[in-house]
Amino acid sequence: MSSGSLLSRWCAAVAVLCAFGVAVLTAPETALVLGPALLLLLVLVVGVFPGEEALARARDRRWRARRVRAPGRAPRPALPDVARPSGISRAFALAMRPPPAVALAR
């Protein structure tokens, strides 16, 4: 890398920082909105690519052979014994009012 390109990168970085400083002084809300984008621009202008090594390590880890494990047997779940109402008891449970025959018997 030549010193000219390094100097131009640092000048660009200083320009980005100055632009952010002006944004902070003139309108803080604008600086809050533009802050993450200007920070990313600053990082990329300087030439630092965050996470490059981490991505390479993850790729190498993914391509390594993994030991295959046999699937384990899960025990059969014990289901609760539930007696649901059926027939006339279900009708009484779902009725908003009792059937007319029961109302007349009272």
Side-chain angles (χ1 to χ4, degrees), residues 63-95:
W63 292 111
R64 268 190 270 155
R66 286 188 243 159
R67 191 176 70 198
V68 178
R69 292 176 37 187
R73 291 188 54 106
R76 192 171 184 170
L79 299 175
D81 189 22
V82 177
R84 294 197 169 106
S86 62
I88 192 79
S89 59
R90 177 183 232 168
F92 279 117
L94 295 175

Side-chain angles (χ1 to χ4, degrees), residues 51-66:
E52 188 175 353
E53 293 85 15
L55 289 173
R57 283 193 308 267
R59 184 188 61 219
D60 293 341
R61 213 176 13 234
R62 183 175 181 191
W63 292 111
R64 268 190 270 155
R66 286 188 243 159

Side-chain angles (χ1 to χ4, degrees), residues 11-52:
C11 288
V14 169
V16 169
L17 287 175
C18 288
F20 185 68
V22 168
V24 167
L25 293 176
T26 57
E29 341 32 80
T30 306
L32 287 174
V33 171
L34 293 178
L38 289 175
L39 180 67
L40 180 62
L41 178 65
L42 177 69
V43 168
L44 294 176
V45 162
V46 171
V48 177
F49 300 102
E52 188 175 353

